[in-house]
Amino acid sequence: MNNNNSFLINLFQYLNQSEIKYCVLRNYRTLPQNTNGSDLDLWVSSNDIKKTINILNEVSKNVNCKIVSYIENKYSPKFCFQNQKEGVQIDLFYGHIYYQNHIIFEEDVIKQNIKLYNNISVLDDNLADLISLIKEIINNGHCTPKYTQPIYQNISFYNKEYLNNNLLCFNSNFIESLYRFIQEKSIEKNTKLLQSKAKQSLSIKVFFNKIKKIKRLFSRKPGYVIAILGTDGSGKSTIINKITPILNEGFHKGIIYNHLRPNVLPDIGVVLGKRKKAEEITVVSNPHAEKQSGLIGSLIRWGYYMIDYTVGYLKTVFPIIHTKSKVFIFDRYYYDYYIDPKRFKTSLPHWILKSGECFVPKPDLILCLGGVPEKIYSRKPETSLQEVTRQTNVLKKFCQTHKNAVWIDTCTDIETSTNQAMEAICKMMSKRFSNFKFQ
């Protein structure tokens, strides 16, 4: 994580200079230097919405941090900003705090509980903890100690008067129940009951939220899929380990790693009882040691995994990248079937493997890692120099014939290779939102 995030430092300078009424709702103790691995929950007064949007636009230009993901919401939109070195995810709350289209905390309640910390306006911890608890109860119907312990540790503060003064949108039935369960330290056991009472109090209809999620499937998707290809020794693991923390700044805890495929279906060897399911991905020391299957066996193997690449993708990847700010990183992908068929024990004609590409969902970006075959082979002499040279040449041709593929020379120093990878990623992501207008 970047210890000095220039986007955040600039943002709070602008906010303070403009005299905007704002506050950070939680996780503020490392600001303005960084978010300590969190996102930024930023509340602004309803009178200052336009000013705040203009500031976000100005700061993004100043630090060359492009908007790479956006989830529209009338009351609390989500912004993801990213450049080659850093990023930040901002959940922006306007005026009242809402659940769906229902107010759960009024704007005046927020304003009355703002304090200064390190020259940054922040929300009082007691109210911030209460907001987090209420949102968790209504959203999920269950609570972990993460949300209840801060309340229990300051239990005397949450008396009836405090709850009545701050929970203005809820009826007495809900407030009485919440107060009793706080005093009994039994919120976890009674969360479903509290959720029901809260929704009755606010007259919330579940139908509304489902419609909103369905609409997202047809809007500009906020998530991405990146595939990373390369022969053994090309530096796939190194590049993934380098880019993941940078992307995690812009997409808060939003990086999802997959090896080769969506992995909805278990390995065919596990299905046939030839091996046990591995808890973690293991490094294969000799990827070409096992004998390739014949034509029929290869067709069965290929057809089985095609289901994972298509149906499995639709089940686990598609709904997430169309509704959430997430990034799937695939270490290898379908294309390896014709770049390195021996690894997958298949012996099928190239045209069959190539035709399968038409049915497999395409990644938004393919990073093709390679370089001087002799250097790559010296890192991992698991096959042969001849095989490494062959795969490198095949991958270069692949990169030239796929518009969404970018060649990354990993025989330079790690920093240079990482910068090249992040440059390609940021260029791809920013294109999707190149015509985005702050408003």
Side-chain angles (χ1 to χ4, degrees), residues 168-350:
L168 300 175
C169 303
F170 295 87
N171 61 27
S172 59
N173 187 15
F174 171 77
I175 295 174
E176 285 287 339
S177 298
L178 178 62
Y179 171 74
R180 184 172 78 253
F181 297 143
I182 289 175
Q183 300 305 309
E184 296 172 354
K185 295 185 178 181
S186 61
I187 295 174
E188 295 94 329
K189 297 177 183 178
N190 296 283
T191 312
K192 285 292 183 185
L193 176 60
L194 285 172
Q195 182 189 44
S196 175
K197 291 188 177 225
K199 289 188 173 183
Q200 287 174 9
S201 179
L202 299 171
S203 301
I204 291 174
K205 296 179 180 179
V206 178
F207 177 74
F208 175 84
N209 199 37
K210 290 184 177 179
I211 289 295
K212 188 168 66 172
K213 288 184 177 180
I214 291 171
K215 284 176 66 178
R216 282 189 196 170
L217 292 173
F218 302 97
S219 59
R220 181 163 39 186
K221 62 181 180 181
Y224 299 88
V225 176
I226 300 171
I228 299 182
L229 309 182
T231 184
D232 292 309
S234 61
K236 293 187 299 298
S237 297
T238 300
I239 291 295
I240 290 171
N241 290 337
K242 286 290 185 179
I243 67 174
T244 296
I246 301 174
L247 290 173
N248 258 329
E249 285 191 354
F251 296 82
H252 174 52
K253 295 180 180 177
I255 311 306
I256 303 170
Y257 174 85
N258 276 289
H259 181 67
L260 188 62
R261 54 193 178 85
N263 291 294
V264 172
L265 297 180
D267 189 276
I268 198 167
V270 175
V271 175
L272 297 175
K274 293 181 178 180
R275 67 171 70 97
K276 292 183 179 179
K277 184 178 180 180
E279 295 297 325
E280 296 181 358
I281 301 297
T282 55
V283 178
V284 180
S285 58
N286 191 352
H288 293 175
E290 295 188 49
K291 185 180 178 181
Q292 288 177 276
S293 302
L295 179 61
I296 301 301
S298 295
L299 278 172
I300 293 172
R301 181 182 295 276
W302 174 75
Y304 176 79
Y305 289 127
M306 277 294 290
I307 296 172
D308 201 24
Y309 278 110
T310 51
V311 178
Y313 184 99
L314 289 174
K315 180 181 179 182
T316 61
V317 180
F318 180 88
I320 291 177
I321 61 173
H322 279 79
T323 58
K324 298 180 181 180
S325 297
K326 302 286 185 182
V327 179
F328 281 84
I329 295 180
F330 282 86
D331 179 356
R332 299 186 181 277
Y333 198 60
Y334 174 81
Y335 312 112
D336 274 284
Y337 274 92
Y338 52 83
I339 293 172
D340 185 12
K342 286 185 179 180
R343 175 180 294 274
F344 308 103
K345 296 178 285 185
T346 56
S347 52
L348 293 172
H350 181 77

Side-chain angles (χ1 to χ4, degrees), residues 24-91:
V24 178
L25 296 180
R26 58 191 178 91
N27 300 323
Y28 56 80
R29 286 177 174 80
T30 57
L31 293 173
Q33 282 70 32
N34 58 70
T35 59
N36 195 29
S38 181
D39 55 349
L40 178 66
D41 285 354
L42 184 66
W43 174 89
V44 296
S45 166
S46 56
N47 296 323
D48 295 321
I49 295 172
K50 190 172 181 179
K51 285 183 183 178
T52 305
I53 293 298
N54 289 337
I55 285 175
L56 286 177
N57 188 23
E58 196 66 31
V59 171
S60 67
K61 290 178 181 177
N62 287 352
V63 299
N64 194 28
C65 226
K66 307 287 188 181
I67 184 165
V68 293
S69 185
Y70 173 73
I71 296 179
E72 184 178 2
N73 187 296
K74 184 178 179 181
Y75 310 113
S76 56
K78 184 192 300 288
F79 300 85
C80 293
F81 296 91
Q82 187 76 57
N83 63 23
Q84 292 174 229
K85 300 291 185 182
E86 64 186 16
V88 63
Q89 178 176 306
I90 300 176
D91 291 356

Side-chain angles (χ1 to χ4, degrees), residues 391-407:
Q391 286 188 34
T392 301
N393 290 333
V394 171
L395 190 58
K396 277 185 178 179
K397 290 180 181 178
F398 170 90
C399 190
Q400 293 167 359
T401 56
H402 288 71
K403 292 182 180 179
N404 59 337
V406 176
W407 182 261

Side-chain angles (χ1 to χ4, degrees), residues 6 25 86 96 104 108 121 137 184 238 269 297 310 319 346 418 439:
S6 57
L25 296 180
E86 64 186 16
H96 306 304
I104 57 174
D108 286 342
S121 296
I137 288 171
E184 296 172 354
T238 300
T310 51
T346 56
T418 303
Q439 53 185 335

Side-chain angles (χ1 to χ4, degrees), residues 370-436:
V372 180
E374 288 79 9
K375 286 186 178 181
I376 294 174
Y377 177 71
S378 66
R379 294 173 185 165
K380 270 192 176 182
E382 295 174 348
T383 52
S384 67
L385 177 57
Q386 182 181 5
E387 178 61 18
V388 170
T389 303
R390 185 195 69 78
Q391 286 188 34
T392 301
N393 290 333
V394 171
L395 190 58
K396 277 185 178 179
K397 290 180 181 178
F398 170 90
C399 190
Q400 293 167 359
T401 56
H402 288 71
K403 292 182 180 179
N404 59 337
V406 176
W407 182 261
I408 306 294
D409 187 349
T410 52
C411 286
T412 59
D413 60 275
I414 295 173
E415 184 178 357
T416 300
S417 299
T418 303
N419 286 341
Q420 289 177 354
M422 282 303 305
E423 181 181 2
I425 291 169
C426 290
K427 184 178 180 181
M428 174 272 295
M429 290 180 172
S430 60
K431 276 184 179 179
R432 184 179 298 171
F433 292 89
S434 59
N435 61 348
F436 177 84

